[in-house]
Amino acid sequence: MNQWGRDLALGVRFAFAGGREGWTRALLTAVGVGLGVALLLLTTAIPNALAARDDRSNARTDITYGSATAPKADDTLLVADADTRFRGEDVRGRTLEPEGPRAPLPPGVSEFPAAGEMVVSPALKRLLESDGGRLLRERLPDRIVGTIGDSGLVGSADLTFYRGGEGLERYVDGSQVTRIDRFGDPNPYREKTDPVLILLILVVFVALLMPVAVFIAAAVRFGGERRDRRLAALRLVGSDGRMTRRIAAGEALAGALLGLVFGTVFFLIGRQIAGSVELFRFSVFPHDLNPSPALALLVAVAVPAAAVLVTLLALRGVVIEPLGVVRTAKPARRRLWWRLLLPLAGLAMLYPMIRQGNDDGDFNQYLVIGGVMLLLVGVTALLPWVVETVVARLGGGGIAWQLAVRRLQLSSGTAARLVNGVAVAVAGAIALQMLFAGVEDDYTKDTGYDVTKAQMQVTVGGGVEVDGAAERLRRTEGVRRVVAHSEGWLGDKRLDPAKSAAVTVGDCTALRELADLRSCRDGDVFAVRGAEYDTDTPQLAVPGKTLYLDPGYEGSAPGREVAWKVPAEIREVDSRKDLSGMERGGFLLTPKALPEAAAPAMVGRAYIGLDPSVSDAREQVRNTAAALGPLMYASDWSATEQSDRYASIRTGLFVGAVCVLVLIGASLLVSQLEQLRDRKKLLSALVAFGTRRRTLSLSVLWQTAIPITLGLLLASTVGLTLGAVLLRMTATPVRVDWGSLLSMTGAAAGVVLAVTLLSLPPLLRLMRPDGLRTE
Amino acid sequence: MSIGHTLLGLLESGPRHGYDLKRAFDEKFGHDRPLHYGQVYSTMSRLLKNGLVEVDGIEPGGGPERKRYAITDAGVTDVQRWLATPEKPEPYLQSTLYTKVVLALLTRRDAADILDTQRAEHLRMMRILTDRKRKGDLADQLICDHALFHLEADLRWLELTAARLDKLAEVVVK
Amino acid sequence: MTPPPGALLAAEELRKAYGPTVALDGADFSVHPGEVVAVMGPSGSGKSTLLHCLAGIVPPDSGSITYAGRELATMSDAERSQLRRSEFGFVFQFGQLVPELTCVENVALPLRLNGTSRKEAERTALSWMERLEVDDLRKKRPGEVSGGQGQRVAVARALVTSPRVVFADEPTGALDSLNGERVMELLTEAARATNAAVVLVTHEARVAAYSDREIVVRDGRSRDMERIV
């Protein structure tokens, strides 16, 4: 045991001995392992970060649609939704009006802002104070009296404000304006997570972590050939085979341990950086990124253990003799069968779950993880065989090609090892992209809006008069066209009507947008026929029948319940598609036909067509709306709308894929440089007898490009297979997403090109004749 | 080189005539200097007198070269003893070159020049030997190599001395 | 000092420093077609630097180098590379063979760099390997042959383009004397047969003995011994 300790310690010493070169090598390994560890820690921290975000998001929930509003008391608070958007960014806003001294404060806020004042999040404050935020500042002119603390924000880039308000009580409706006695949702809504979403999350994690593992394995072998020579020297002075193995293990351990330290530092740095960036509308606070202790411990134990294991495995095929290193002749030709077995086993594990993704289906998480991992590990097992087999058959071509091919033939394993990480990452990413593209339809709703005519909608609320608002909007810069009317409901009873229909009030011009009117005068009433999903209108539109505008419903805010008799001269008209692309049903009333008392029950809406040449038209419209009153609400129309959860997973994939590709690029570069350094003398000799720099550069490119091409082909095949299987599992028609296939392989090819370009300056430096000076 | 022992050694493989002995000697060892008949005759008569050879027969016609000689037991013993005795290594302690260098230093002449000139001369000789070596047979090669190695040793000494001339000057001129 | 008439490659007053280290301090040199010139001198005297300058690998700080009447300094880097590819051949002490290529491919390399087709280049390479008695190694890789064999392959490679000047920097440095002499014999014989000049850097007198003439470099300065004698 003592001997063991001594050998390991000797190895640790060797890892850092050897002057500048030794340090460089140890540092490279440590940086490589460190990057991997940092990524692992980040991954283990993500669930915690998401949970923390969720908790804070829940804690500040105020408007819970549907639940009855609390009665007015000295501990209640009126909250009005003042959300807005600014250049595509969502801004969360609330107008607050405390009704007593004990009114609850929102999290992160220490004092209620008075009317005309507001407290804002740091990110919003920065935006408002910047030049680019001038338009938004016009919309939110209130005096900034403080900032919202972290506990009241979901993430560091959260754009949030609370402003003081007055006279909100009149508008309490449980949705836009509500009365609460506490923040936070007492029983937060937990959806049963969709099995397909779980599948996606699992595959994302496996696909991202596999290349990291491959990468760590490659990192501990940096400088392997030099280490072998050093071990041979140790044998010469009398250490036996087992001792050298232990010393090698000690070296690997030293690199891995230093890597852990580096990784922790990288992680801490990355955590700070993560707090200051927002990727795909997703930001976190540095203090949210806390890996769970158990997972962190696992990383701390598994990484050094893996490093030692990989080193010992690598030494298996090497006999270290006192006078040199003997690679056990030519390692036996790689066998195909067991390499094929891995992906096949993976497929076999996934097979039973085909078509399990239906609504009630469930996936066995272990089988999914196991199957996906085996398929991806299969890539790393198959690739060396593929590279060896293909490269052995390559020939012909120019001198650069010949140099590259010959080198690959001699050491196809090294080449394959370098490319493995890229291949696994690409295979996983292709499968995921396919899966995403396939299920996208399920999670992306077609909103049905016809965005060719109108691109925005402004809901006129808070007692603002519709026509006046429409006029103001018409005069706003960038607005081409405004169609405005009021909308509401009527029913056959005062309370809980059995039959109900929509009521639209507007002048004849506005109503002509909704139905084919042959003639129209103020005071006319129309019943629309033939609209989609409207069966009640024909039964309600009976002349003389008494109906009730804004009927009440049990358990929610009372309606105005204004009685209205269907006039004898009601005319039936045909519906037409309105600006939003829908066919509207119900009753159409000209303003005079509406009873005075019912007017407040109507919600005004303005549909706005924009001038596409005015870039900030949308912001101008929002500013006009905000100036009209605090309860105006402007929203954008887009042709499709994505499920939020889907978007966040896709976000995760993109962020992860970028990190992994950069990481692998770094490792490729490091190995490339090391290889070049080892050949310094040869490169100088080649230049001496007149080899063109171009030839050598090209041969370096080929040397990376050939295995990468093979790796990408294999990765595409495995990725497409895995994608197809996953799609079958989710019961989605299998469709190859060529765009993402090309973009993923393109991105990987880009990484290779970048690595080659980055290794060119050192290559050119090495080709200088100084390398010939050996004395 | 002991010609007597060499001739005795040649007789060990069987009796030979005088002219036979000369031819065998010239062939194997006499590349630079062939033996004279007189030298063979005088050597053989000395060996005969000492009982190391005996006359095995005489061809008709007379003359010393017609005698056939055979080695005696005493002769075999003598050859054996000669081969087993190591040659005394040459100590080369008396070097003219060293003397020249020191004198040059003492008289403030250019000692490096002397060394360079000597080196050129040595190399000239080495070139001649090398050339002969490439044209000659194995025996030539071995003999030339022997000489070349000696010359090389001299050259090394020249290099070393050249590198230490400054120090030598200090010591000598003091 | 003007270059001797008829010199193929001549250098005058070469100076070269690597940082504070002065490698050459006014060295002269000349070699005629078919002549074997040994560059001798103790380690660190600037022998190799002289060779690198003469071959156009390293530009000197000052001084002139003329090859066949052309001043090397006026040539572009590409032109000098072209010159090295077609007119010069190189043999170094070790580490010059591309370990991945077979021996015949290594020998054919300079021809291929000049644009000769693979087949033809390898045919010419093989004939040179025969001449240097290593044609049986054609399918072997440098790692699988002995040091002496590898050096012969390197000599074959240096001669394969029928260069007008062969630069040999301690070509036998890593070999025992038997192998070393054989390599020298084959190199000088082949060079004489093709009337190529050889610039031979060595510190071994026995290797230098294969030359026609020697130049001694000491402290960055050269002495042409023939003119002294």
Side-chain angles (χ1 to χ4, degrees), chain B residues 113 116 127 133 152, chain C residues 181 206 211 214 218 223:
Chain B
D113 232 24
D116 279 348
R127 267 191 208 109
K133 195 170 91 175
E152 192 187 14
Chain C
E181 301 214 4
R206 287 163 53 73
S211 66
E214 81 271 11
R218 189 169 289 137
R223 293 191 75 175

Side-chain angles (χ1 to χ4, degrees), chain A residues 456-475:
Chain A
M456 284 188 85
Q457 166 190 314
V458 174
T459 304
V460 183
V464 179
E465 197 255 325
V466 183
D467 292 337
E471 202 41 48
R472 288 276 294 279
L473 287 168
R474 252 176 224 119
R475 277 183 286 145

Side-chain angles (χ1 to χ4, degrees), chain B residues 104-120:
Chain B
L105 288 172
L106 280 173
T107 56
R108 315 264 172 204
R109 287 188 172 88
D110 193 347
D113 232 24
I114 294 177
L115 291 171
D116 279 348
T117 313
Q118 188 61 48
R119 180 226 301 273

